[in-house]
Amino acid sequence: MIAHYLNLIAAGISIVSLVIVTYGTAVAAVAFIRNELGRFTGRYSGLNIRRLRATFGTYLLLGLEFLIASDILKTVLEPGLDELAILGGIVVLRTVLSVFLNREIRELQTEEKRQAE
């Protein structure tokens, strides 16, 4: 009986993950289109694209965090090699994305500071 509820909770967390990634994708798509339309008015900025990548990456990382939580629950319920492999793959992907996103954000902050001076 408890396994049934944990499965429902894991499914709910997975849905939250999908909503976060979908929302982040929509936000990024709108920002991208606005920036590209700026080419016609002279408002296009490569810096905006870098900001967009950092923002979108943040949504992806948050979605992956929720997905990891869901997979941990599923792995606890059905401990098997397949579940552990999937969980490990997601954790590795999230870690790699986090490293590159943090580097991108630091570079973006440095560039913004230089432009402000």
Side-chain angles (χ1 to χ4, degrees):
M1 182 162 148
I2 220 164
H4 175 71
Y5 290 116
L6 287 177
N7 271 326
L8 287 176
I9 291 169
I13 293 171
S14 293
I15 290 170
V16 169
S17 172
L18 290 173
V19 167
I20 291 169
V21 171
T22 303
Y23 176 75
T25 302
V27 167
V30 168
F32 174 75
I33 290 169
R34 280 186 183 162
N35 193 53
E36 288 302 310
L37 290 175
R39 287 182 188 269
F40 301 113
T41 61
R43 292 180 153 173
Y44 175 83
S45 170
L47 185 60
N48 286 342
I49 293 293
R50 293 186 67 197
R51 287 183 187 136
L52 167 64
R53 287 179 58 203
T55 302
F56 183 53
T58 302
Y59 282 109
L60 287 177
L61 286 175
L62 182 60
L64 282 173
E65 290 287 343
F66 277 91
L67 195 57
I68 289 169
S70 171
D71 282 342
I72 287 172
L73 285 176
K74 290 176 186 174
T75 302
V76 167
L77 292 171
E78 301 172 20
L81 227 43
D82 290 341
E83 288 78 18
L84 286 174
I86 290 170
L87 180 60
I90 292 172
V91 168
V92 167
L93 176 65
R94 189 252 177 249
T95 303
V96 169
L97 279 174
S98 180
V99 166
F100 286 109
L101 179 63
N102 285 332
R103 186 172 62 178
E104 179 90 18
I105 289 171
R106 276 194 308 262
E107 290 173 2
L108 184 61
Q109 288 171 342
T110 302
E111 189 174 327
E112 286 176 343
K113 283 180 186 176
R114 273 192 231 138
Q115 286 184 354
E117 293 175 351

